[in-house]
Amino acid sequence: MENLKRLNRHLYMGTPADKEYAAFEEKVKRTVYIDNLSPQVTEAVLKTALGQFGSVTNVQFIPNYIEQNNIPQCALVEMENAKQAKSIVSEMGNYPFMMSGMPRPVRARAAEIGMFGDRPIKPGRKITCRWVDIKDPDFEVAQKLKQLTRKHALEASYLVKLQLDEEEKLAQQQSEILKANYKKYEMLENLLSDGTVNRLAYRYNLNVPDD
């Protein structure tokens, strides 16, 4: 009877692998996947920007393997709790959230288990790897998977290029609008400083407030 109780207690508590994976799942729940980040965004910038939602406990930038230097970054941002993570996803889903001069708002969504390169092996899951010989029945399937992977990589690279071109156009439009607004502001400042506004007001009998 005592042995049975001990066994039940052990099953309830779980193995170390079970505990490790359960802790990892909790970490996933309080983590947010952020993308469309400017290449200039650093860990400090992310922590400052997201600090309004709660305490950022960890920032992990996801390596980019596409052969372009200026593509947007993405990162996994771990918050203090799941409530803070949900708040970020909700806020950025409803309102544009700009960061470090990127012409397009950054995006956020709940992190998923597959996004973590350091994720532990799920208890009970067994994965085996082997070399496939040309005479092996699975060789043709492996070849198709390899070709499909290359195709997806090319498609992803093309889509990123389109996104970068669009963001470049947006950045240029924003720059032109800022320059035009600055010229208008400069012109008004000059009119006020050289007395032109007061002379025109006197000529057309208009009242110009001092402020």
Side-chain angles (χ1 to χ4, degrees):
M1 188 67 180
E2 186 63 31
N3 290 337
L4 182 60
K5 287 182 179 179
R6 195 177 295 116
L7 177 62
N8 288 335
R9 194 182 303 116
H10 174 74
L11 292 174
Y12 176 77
M13 292 176 64
T15 65
D18 291 327
K19 293 177 182 177
E20 181 186 11
Y21 198 80
F24 168 69
E25 287 181 318
E26 289 301 313
K27 174 184 175 180
V28 174
K29 290 178 184 177
R30 58 177 182 266
T31 302
V32 181
Y33 172 79
I34 308 284
D35 73 343
N36 216 33
L37 292 166
S38 164
Q40 282 74 44
V41 169
T42 62
E43 180 177 340
V45 171
L46 261 176
K47 284 185 174 180
T48 301
L50 301 182
Q52 60 184 291
F53 300 101
S55 299
V56 179
T57 60
N58 186 47
V59 174
Q60 179 185 350
F61 286 98
I62 299 176
N64 166 47
Y65 298 104
I66 298 176
E67 296 179 358
Q68 293 188 29
N69 296 323
N70 59 336
I71 73 167
Q73 295 188 95
C74 49
L76 292 168
V77 181
E78 183 183 350
M79 304 301 292
E80 191 174 26
N81 55 58
K83 185 179 179 181
Q84 295 174 3
K86 287 179 182 178
S87 176
I88 292 173
V89 174
S90 174
E91 191 74 15
M92 291 192 187
N94 294 325
Y95 304 99
F97 195 88
M98 313 300 289
M99 197 182 298
S100 286
M102 200 70 171
R104 183 176 295 179
V106 298
R107 297 173 296 213
R109 61 187 176 98
E112 299 174 9
I113 289 175
M115 295 175 176
F116 294 78
D118 58 348
R119 61 186 179 275
I121 297 174
K122 189 173 183 179
R125 184 181 181 188
K126 295 182 179 179
I127 299 175
T128 57
C129 300
R130 64 186 176 88
W131 291 105
V132 181
D133 187 77
I134 193 169
K135 296 179 182 178
D136 193 295
D138 293 330
F139 181 79
E140 188 177 344
V141 176
Q143 284 291 94
K144 287 181 179 179
L145 287 173
K146 185 177 180 181
Q147 291 170 3
L148 189 62
T149 302
R150 287 178 176 174
K151 179 184 176 184
H152 286 171
L154 289 172
E155 289 174 348
S157 181
Y158 177 69
L159 289 173
V160 167
K161 185 179 183 304
L162 288 180
Q163 181 180 342
L164 287 172
D165 290 343
E166 187 176 343
E167 287 175 354
E168 217 171 289
K169 290 178 183 177
L170 285 171
Q172 188 174 357
Q173 289 173 1
Q174 289 179 351
S175 177
E176 289 173 356
I177 291 171
L178 285 172
K179 287 178 181 177
N181 288 338
Y182 180 75
K183 285 183 179 178
K184 291 177 183 178
Y185 173 78
E186 200 174 37
M187 182 183 69
L188 290 173
E189 279 292 304
N190 291 334
L191 290 174
L192 287 169
S193 60
D194 66 7
T196 301
V197 170
N198 292 328
R199 289 195 295 272
L200 288 172
Y202 178 78
R203 173 69 176 79
Y204 293 101
N205 196 25
L206 298 173
N207 291 323
V208 179
D210 294 335
D211 55 354

